[in-house]
Amino acid sequence: MQEILFDPLLLPVILLTSLVYLVFLFNLLTKNKSASTTAEKIISSSVIFILPGVTVFPFDKIHPSALAGHDKTAISAMAQLGLYFVLAFMVSSRIPSFIKSFPNTLKFVLLRNPFLLFLILLTPLSAAWSHTPFLSLKASLVLLGLSLVATYMGSQYSWDELWSRLRLSSGMWMVLSTVFAIAVPSIGRHGKGWGGVVGHPTNLGPIAAMSAVLWGVQLASQKKPSWQTFGITGLSLLVVVMTDSAGALVIFALLASTAIAFRVLKKTSLRWKLVMGFLLIVLPIVASAVVALNLEFLLGLLGKDLTFTGRAEFWPQLINELQKRYLLGYGYHSFWQPWLGAANPAAHIVNANEYRPPHAHNGFLDLALSLGIVGLSFFVISLVANTILAVKHFATYRNIESVLPMIMLAFLIFKNMTETGTWGLRLDAFLYILLSVRLCTDIRRRVYG
């Protein structure tokens, strides 16, 4: 197939034909506002859809992390970048506005959350001290691309548009994961639990919990809830249970408690909204630390065994490795490299069952291994700034959806206590940057409690 596509006689014909179709499509979308809006909604939702790591073909081949792979060929990279260009071309109606407003967006982020920008800038700089400089630089460039897309969506889309796209994407995760778990168990199941289209219950469980709360908040906000809202909320809860993941149940319980607390606080004074809203973010952070320190006991209550995956054994090993390069880390995406054999910095990380983890099973620890205590500190300070902005958003707006920024921040914190992704090339970092930009650029109106 590759030989046919790149045949010197056929290649010009293929390129010319593609160009004709692009011009035709662009002309259609620019003249038909409805078609343009629909195309942009589908494409932006699809971008979010693939980011958790959808393992089903062809989504696994076009995931951004594929560009950062050590075995990515130049031809494959060109094809993937070409697809991205086509998708950007199809949603180009807002790009002029984005370019025009970009300096102001950077100014707002620099003023309200400067440590996010420091963290983004530190990532490509880490190639200078990385164990594998080229791979770190390549992964950093992919992250910068993801950051640009997240900035575009965060600055150009309203809150309603963002929540609509997140709900649509989460609905796609739930429906397709259920279909694959039932119809194609070889793909959709992992042992007793459902892994769906993201490959493993520990990946599917947290996003199912997030989906249940996103759709649940939508359900509570509708005067006459639609059957779609009822259906996806119920399906999300079913998937949470069917993943057989204790972590998913804990995350759902905590996020649902946050949403319920908001309903109780809705009619209180502005002062209490500020105080209690801030606690709704601080308490999950404190609870996360408590859970981390007592994880084995808590999972035992839920019938789970922490030593099965060896976290209790390899977390201390990882902390020992971090102490060797604690200030700036090993470089972005440079610690976990099994293809290097004995030269892999993580070669000695193994538990008593000979299990060699592919990552730290803790997003904050993985961030520290990549960018050291400096990078982790940048993220924590940025998180505090986002918490303050989310509390202000919650206290200012009257609608029920105003709690969602805090819920999403809490989701990212809890998920990364036992899984990774805080600053990876997946959904977590994308959502964090998107929320950060939207919170920093939000034009708030005064609403008194």
Side-chain angles (χ1 to χ4, degrees):
M1 183 66 179
Q2 182 172 300
E3 290 77 8
I4 295 175
L5 288 176
F6 290 93
D7 185 280
L9 295 177
L10 289 177
L11 183 58
V13 176
I14 294 172
L15 292 176
L16 182 60
T17 304
S18 301
L19 181 60
V20 170
Y21 274 106
L22 277 176
V23 171
F24 171 77
L25 187 59
F26 181 74
N27 186 59
L28 173 65
L29 294 177
T30 52
K31 290 186 176 180
N32 190 324
K33 187 175 181 180
S34 176
S36 176
T37 302
T38 301
E40 185 168 13
K41 185 172 184 178
I42 292 172
I43 291 172
S44 57
S45 299
S46 297
V47 168
I48 298 172
F49 170 75
I50 69 171
L51 283 177
V54 176
T55 57
V56 180
F57 181 84
F59 301 108
D60 57 333
K61 302 299 182 185
I62 62 175
H63 193 282
S65 63
L67 281 174
H70 70 284
D71 54 352
K72 189 72 171 180
T73 64
I75 292 175
S76 178
M78 288 173 59
Q80 190 170 346
L81 289 171
L83 174 62
Y84 293 167
F85 172 78
V86 171
L87 294 177
F89 187 74
M90 291 174 64
V91 296
S92 59
S93 61
R94 298 197 202 192
I95 291 180
S97 172
F98 172 62
I99 295 173
K100 184 178 179 180
S101 64
F102 189 69
N104 281 332
T105 300
L106 284 182
K107 182 182 73 174
F108 285 133
V109 176
L110 185 60
L111 289 172
R112 297 172 182 173
N113 197 343
F115 284 91
L116 174 64
L117 290 180
F118 297 164
L119 180 59
I120 292 174
L121 292 174
L122 179 67
T123 303
L125 289 177
S126 70
W129 59 83
S130 170
H131 185 71
T132 50
F134 177 71
L135 289 177
S136 286
L137 181 60
K138 188 164 66 165
S140 299
L141 292 176
V142 176
L143 180 68
L144 289 176
L146 270 178
S147 302
L148 189 62
V149 176
T151 301
Y152 168 79
M153 292 180 63
S155 62
Q156 295 298 301
Y157 294 173
S158 67
W159 284 113
D160 286 342
E161 289 176 309
L162 290 176
W163 301 136
S164 172
R165 280 151 177 75
L166 277 169
R167 285 195 301 270
L168 180 57
S169 301
S170 64
M172 293 165 63
W173 293 326
M174 298 304 100
V175 171
L176 291 178
S177 291
T178 301
V179 169
F180 273 86
I182 295 173
V184 195
S186 60
I187 296 177
R189 297 193 184 190
H190 190 277
K192 295 188 297 181
W194 286 10
V197 292
V198 294
H200 198 280
T202 58
N203 296 330
L204 181 61
I207 62 175
M210 178 187 73
S211 176
V213 175
L214 272 173
W215 283 93
V217 169
Q218 174 72 1
L219 187 68
S221 69
Q222 293 178 337
K223 292 181 179 180
K224 293 183 179 180
S226 65
W227 66 268
Q228 293 98 328
T229 308
F230 268 117
I232 300 298
T233 304
L235 185 61
S236 300
L237 291 171
L238 173 65
V239 174
V240 169
V241 174
M242 296 307 294
T243 58
D244 193 37
S245 168
L249 291 172
V250 171
I251 290 172
F252 170 73
L254 292 168
L255 296 183
S257 298
T258 302
I260 292 170
F262 168 79
R263 295 292 292 170
V264 174
L265 294 170
K266 186 176 181 182
K267 295 183 179 180
T268 58
S269 67
L270 179 59
R271 179 184 299 177
W272 279 109
K273 284 181 180 178
L274 284 168
V275 172
M276 297 304 295
F278 188 74
L279 287 176
L280 288 176
I281 291 295
V282 173
L283 289 179
I285 297 174
V286 175
S288 294
V290 173
V291 168
L293 293 172
N294 299 277
L295 192 58
E296 188 167 8
F297 170 73
L298 293 174
L299 290 181
L301 294 178
L302 295 169
K304 304 294 180 182
D305 183 7
L306 182 64
T307 59
F308 178 75
T309 56
R311 288 177 176 88
E313 297 176 45
F314 63 71
W315 276 345
Q317 296 176 42
L318 289 172
I319 292 173
N320 288 335
E321 293 298 321
L322 175 61
Q323 289 174 348
K324 298 176 183 178
R325 301 181 67 168
Y326 68 93
L327 190 61
L328 294 172
Y330 288 80
Y332 189 62
H333 269 234
S334 191
F335 185 77
W336 303 96
Q337 301 187 49
W339 56 87
L340 292 179
N344 176 20
H348 304 296
I349 308 302
V350 60
N351 70 1
N353 296 323
E354 296 299 318
Y355 171 69
R356 297 183 181 276
H359 51 74
H361 288 278
N362 182 292
F364 307 106
L365 183 53
D366 265 329
L367 173 56
L369 288 166
S370 286
L371 300 175
I373 299 302
V374 172
L376 181 60
S377 298
F378 285 171
F379 180 83
V380 170
I381 297 171
S382 169
L383 181 62
V384 171
N386 274 333
T387 300
I388 294 171
L389 291 173
V391 169
K392 289 181 178 179
H393 178 86
F394 163 61
T396 301
Y397 289 96
R398 292 186 181 277
N399 59 322
I400 189 172
E401 290 89 351
S402 62
V403 75
L404 288 175
M406 294 195 304
I407 288 176
M408 298 307 295
L409 289 175
F411 161 75
L412 294 172
I413 293 167
F414 279 106
K415 176 184 177 294
N416 280 279
M417 291 307 300
T418 55
E419 291 303 319
T420 197
T422 301
W423 202 240
L425 301 176
R426 293 186 180 272
L427 181 67
D428 300 37
F430 182 85
L431 278 182
Y432 185 75
I433 296 169
L434 184 153
L435 285 170
S436 301
V437 171
R438 182 65 265 172
L439 286 168
C440 286
T441 59
D442 193 18
I443 301 174
R444 296 182 299 277
R445 48 191 176 82
R446 299 295 258 170
V447 178
Y448 294 94

